[in-house]
Every structure is written in structure tokens, then in C-alpha cells.
């Protein structure tokens, strides 16, 4: 097929100038978008940025010979979200080149957003947080996948999981999928990255080659587990506190004291069911404040044993003391009174 990218760019620009001059801010293209290796890797139009409701009418999809074309709109708001790594089509924006600009201001706004994206990708802590969000999406897909026996659904879910895990690893590396190979072949791209889970490409290949529903689920589980372990080891290097108001942690502790006290009672009473339920509640709380305040990992339920509850109680007291010491370190004065008289003497 004769390459017609240049002719189509000219058509799109003339169409905008003639019919949508006040409605379209930018026409954006990228090199090699949705091409196969035997195609000429020229710049082709990709999307445009409307600036009025009428501008959305420019959108057009069509086929010439065996090539499909899609001239689609991307709002400024959506581009801002991509720059903040809220979406997974980073490549379309990052690789974008301006083919037409309504004004100099429109051009500068687009370039400023591309610069913001670059800045986001250079921020290791920010990238780590976004990578963990993408890992969560993959795990959510798996939660549904394990109950599905339809092979089409299972394979689709496995593919989605591999893609989100690959996006997570790419984001962690401060980059995005599609930089080298286009929108597809994400496993190959991750394989070339400096920091990645061990055997990542091999595990993905095993998922692809699996022939039964149970085998796919088993392989996907191993892939997620390996990727989770990778991020768990790296997490402490980059995830910092998102909340520096440790008075709020003090407020959390006042309320949690109820639960610590109840857990102690039921452990001493050898009521393992109540101890288990309260321990799980505290573990959820520990995980939340650990991330919010940049605390160490607090493992409570890892020591639970229904037949021996004293290790659970001991660990709970250890973690409670750690939180109290952390508050002291940050000069949070806890309002703790030995008796009612002490409270009244202070508060009346």
C-alpha cells in the first residue's frame, strides 16, 4: 500500500482551517502509530484537541485499502489527566508532535503539559505511588477472574492483568509503554527495562502458552505474586508519608485504644474468634496509617495462632508502643490521664 500519511495530514489540516478554525486547538500526530513493521514509520495524525462542543464533530473513522484511520478528540482535561499519569495511554500524548496549532498559546499549553508529564516521570516517589495503583487494578481483575470458567473471559482477564502489571513496572522505571514498540508488545518492552521482577518475561510467556483455565489462573497468580514482591522490596525506598500532621495520628490512637484494650481482654480470655476479628480490624488500620504517615510495616496478624493468643497480644502491645514512641518523636503530646481526678484537675 502506498504511504498516504502526509496527504492525510494535509487533508486534516485543511479541513480544520476550512470548517473548524475556531473549534479545534491542535492536531497531534505521532511516528509509527498503530503501524506494522513493514509499514513506513512516518508521522501520521493521531488525535486533535477540541476547544468547543462543535469541535467534536470533526471526529472521523474510516478505512483506506486495508488501513484503518481514527481521527479522535482528546480534551484538555483528559490530557492533563494523562500528564498526571491517571490514564494508561501515556504513549499517545508523550510521543505526540504538533501538526497544527490554532494559536501560539495552544501550542505552548500542549508543550507545558508534555513537560509536566516528563517531570512526573522523573519523580520516583510519585511514580511508585502510581505503579502501586496499577498493581491494585491488576489484582482487582484477578479477584473476579478466579471465579470465572469461561476460557474467553479468563484469557481476556489474563491479558488485562499482564498489561496493567507491565504499565506498573514501566511507571516505576519512570517511563511508559509504547516508547519503542507502539501500543502493543508490552511484555517485550518490560523485558528491556533495568528494574523489573525476576523472570517477568518468562512468567508472562507461561500465561500465554497455558491451555486450561486452571493453568492460566495458576500462572497469573505466580506473575502477580512475583510482581507484588518486587514492589514490596522497592516500596520503602520511594513511598513517603502523604500526611505530615502527626496530630491526626494522635487522634487515630485515641480511638484505637478501645480496640487495643478489647483485644487484650479477649486474648486473655482465650476467645480466639473475637481476637481474630479485632486483630483483623487493627491490621487494616495499621496498613492504612503505615502508608499515610510513612510508618514501618506493622505485621500483627502474621503471628495469630488460635491455640496460642499470647504472641498476638505481645505483638499488639509492641506495635502500640511503636506508635506512641513515634508520636513522641514528632512532639505530639498525648492527653493521657492516670485517673478521673487528674483529668478534672486539668480540664476544669
Amino acid at each position: 500500500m502506498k504511504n498516504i500519511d502526509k496527504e492525510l495530514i494535509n487533508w486534516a489540516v485543511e479541513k480544520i482551517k476550512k470548517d473548524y478554525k475556531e473549534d479545534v486547538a491542535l492536531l497531534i500526530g505521532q511516528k509509527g502509530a498503530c503501524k506494522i513493521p513493514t509499514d513506513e514509520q512516518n508521522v501520521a495524525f493521531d488525535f486533535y484537541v477540541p476547544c468547543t462542543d462543535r469541535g467534536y464533530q470533526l471526529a472521523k473513522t474510516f478505512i483506506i485499502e486495508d488501513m484503518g484511520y481514527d481521527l479522535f478528540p482528546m480534551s484538555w482535561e483528559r490530557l492533563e489527566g494523562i500528564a498526571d499519569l491517571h490514564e494508561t495511554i501515556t504513549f499517545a500524548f508523550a510521543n505526540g508532535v504538533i501538526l497544527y496549532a490554532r494559536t501560539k498559546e495552544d501550542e505552548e499549553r500542549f508543550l507545558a503539559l508534555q513537560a509536566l508529564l516528563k517531570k512526573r516521570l522523573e519523580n520516583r516517589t510519585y511514580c511508585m505511588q502510581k505503579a502501586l495503583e496499577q498493581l491494585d487494578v491488576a489484582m482487582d481483575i484477578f479477584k473476579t477472574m478466579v471465579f470465572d470458567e469461561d476460557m474467553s473471559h479468563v484469557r481476556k482477564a489474563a491479558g488485562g492483568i499482564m498489561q496493567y502489571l507491565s504499565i506498573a513496572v514501566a511507571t516505576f522505571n519512570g517511563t511508559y509503554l509504547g516508547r519503542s514498540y507502539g501500543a502493543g508488545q508490552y511484555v517485550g518492552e518490560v523485558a528491556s527495562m533495568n528494574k523489573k521482577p525476576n523472570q517477568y518475561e518468562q512468567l508472562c510467556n507461561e500465561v500465554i502458552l497455558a491451555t486450561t483455565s486452571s493453568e492460566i489462573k495458576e500462572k497469573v497468580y505466580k506473575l502477580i505474586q512475583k510482581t507484588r514482591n518486587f514492589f514490596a522490596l522497592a516500596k520503602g525506598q520511594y513511598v513517603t508519608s502523604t500526611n505530615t500532621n502527626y496530630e491526626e495520628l494522635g487522634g487515630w490512637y485515641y480511638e484505637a485504644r478501645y480496640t487495643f484494650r478489647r483485644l487484650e481482654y479477649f486474648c486473655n480470655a482465650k476467645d480466639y474468634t473475637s481476637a481474630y476479628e479485632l486483630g483483623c480490624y487493627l491490621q487494616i488500620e495499621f496498613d492504612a496509617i503505615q502508608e499515610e504517615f510513612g510508618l514501618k510495616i506493622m505485621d500483627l496478624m502474621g503471628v495469630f495462632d488460635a491455640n496460642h493468643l499470647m504472641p498476638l497480644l505481645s505483638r499488639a502491645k509492641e506495635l502500640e508502643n511503636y506508635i506512641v514512641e513515634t508520636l513522641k518523636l514528632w512532639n505530639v503530646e498525648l492527653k493521657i490521664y492516670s485517673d478521673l481526678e487528674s483529668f478534672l484537675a486539668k480540664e476544669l
Side-chain angles (χ1 to χ4, degrees):
M1 173 182 174
K2 176 187 174 183
N3 185 280
I4 57 173
D5 290 327
K6 184 177 180 180
E7 289 82 355
L8 285 174
I9 289 172
N10 291 337
W11 164 80
V13 170
E14 291 304 313
K15 182 73 172 175
I16 292 169
K17 288 180 177 179
K18 179 183 176 183
D19 299 327
Y20 297 94
K21 189 173 183 180
E22 302 302 321
D23 306 295
V24 172
L26 297 168
L27 176 66
I28 305 299
Q30 64 169 306
K31 188 175 182 179
C34 300
K35 299 293 183 66
I36 60 176
T38 54
D39 291 331
E40 291 185 27
Q41 303 299 304
N42 299 324
V43 173
F45 67 62
D46 193 17
F47 65 90
Y48 69 95
V49 182
C51 50
T52 68
D53 289 342
R54 184 176 181 275
Y56 285 88
Q57 297 175 18
L58 174 64
K60 188 176 293 292
T61 54
F62 51 93
I63 296 172
I64 297 179
E65 294 188 31
D66 67 343
M67 176 72 78
Y69 297 90
D70 182 11
L71 180 58
F72 66 97
M74 292 258 276
S75 68
W76 284 114
E77 292 74 19
R78 190 174 181 193
L79 291 179
E80 290 166 358
I82 295 173
D84 284 330
L85 303 179
H86 295 331
E87 289 201 44
T88 60
I89 57 169
T90 310
F91 70 92
F93 177 43
N95 297 342
V97 294
I98 298 174
L99 302 175
Y100 163 84
R102 181 187 58 158
T103 65
K104 184 68 174 177
E105 290 74 18
D106 291 326
E107 179 180 353
E108 290 174 349
R109 184 177 179 182
F110 182 83
L111 295 176
L113 285 175
Q114 282 190 322
L116 174 61
L117 172 62
K118 184 175 183 294
K119 184 178 179 181
R120 293 295 195 207
L121 290 170
E122 291 170 351
N123 186 325
R124 306 306 304 131
T125 298
Y126 189 83
C127 282
M128 183 64 180
Q129 291 169 342
K130 302 307 292 185
L132 292 176
E133 290 176 11
Q134 291 146 2
L135 172 62
D136 284 343
V137 174
M139 292 174 63
D140 282 341
I141 297 173
F142 183 73
K143 292 174 188 176
T144 301
M145 172 191 181
V146 293
F147 296 102
D148 202 328
E149 295 302 326
D150 185 294
M151 277 296 286
S152 178
H153 295 169
V154 171
R155 282 201 169 109
K156 177 182 68 175
I161 289 168
M162 287 196 300
Q163 185 168 11
Y164 272 103
L165 293 179
S166 298
I167 292 169
V169 176
T171 304
F172 175 74
N173 279 271
T175 186
Y176 52 89
L177 300 182
R179 183 184 290 273
S180 303
Y181 298 93
Q185 301 183 17
Y186 39 83
V187 175
E189 285 200 72
V190 171
S192 68
M193 294 177 184
N194 293 329
K195 299 174 182 178
K196 55 186 177 292
N198 292 332
Q199 302 176 309
Y200 187 83
E201 188 173 20
Q202 176 187 328
L203 291 169
C204 287
N205 195 52
E206 289 178 3
V207 171
I208 295 169
L209 294 176
T211 57
T212 66
S213 174
S214 60
E215 186 183 8
I216 293 171
K217 293 171 186 176
E218 176 188 346
K219 301 298 184 182
V220 168
Y221 175 82
K222 290 174 63 176
L223 177 63
I224 293 175
Q225 184 181 47
K226 184 75 72 171
T227 308
R228 283 191 75 215
N229 291 342
F230 168 78
F231 282 115
L233 288 173
K235 188 174 180 180
Q237 302 176 42
Y238 299 107
V239 176
T240 58
S241 169
T242 60
N243 187 346
T244 56
N245 184 359
Y246 286 89
E247 293 286 348
E248 292 185 7
L249 179 60
W252 175 90
Y253 176 63
Y254 291 136
E255 295 187 17
R257 181 86 271 281
Y258 285 109
T259 309
F260 283 115
R261 181 171 181 269
R262 295 175 69 208
L263 179 63
E264 180 174 6
Y265 172 83
F266 288 113
C267 283
N268 285 325
K270 299 182 180 180
D271 182 344
Y272 60 82
T273 300
S274 297
Y276 183 88
E277 292 174 352
L278 290 166
C280 287
Y281 172 78
L282 271 178
Q283 188 66 71
I284 293 169
E285 292 292 304
F286 285 154
D287 291 347
I289 63 172
Q290 183 267 325
E291 180 134 351
E292 183 175 359
F293 295 96
L295 305 176
K296 72 176 184 179
I297 294 175
M298 293 176 284
D299 176 12
L300 175 63
M301 291 305 289
V303 300
F304 177 83
D305 182 341
N307 296 313
H308 301 91
L309 295 176
M310 287 305 101
L312 180 69
L313 177 57
S314 178
R315 178 65 62 83
K317 289 182 176 180
E318 174 189 322
L319 294 174
E320 182 179 7
N321 288 335
Y322 164 68
I323 292 168
V324 171
E325 291 302 314
T326 299
L327 290 168
K328 289 180 181 178
L329 180 66
W330 291 100
N331 299 315
V332 176
E333 185 177 352
L334 290 171
K335 298 176 182 178
I336 299 176
Y337 306 94
S338 59
D339 51 40
L340 177 61
E341 287 73 20
S342 299
F343 170 78
L344 294 177
K346 180 73 174 178
E347 299 296 330
L348 286 179

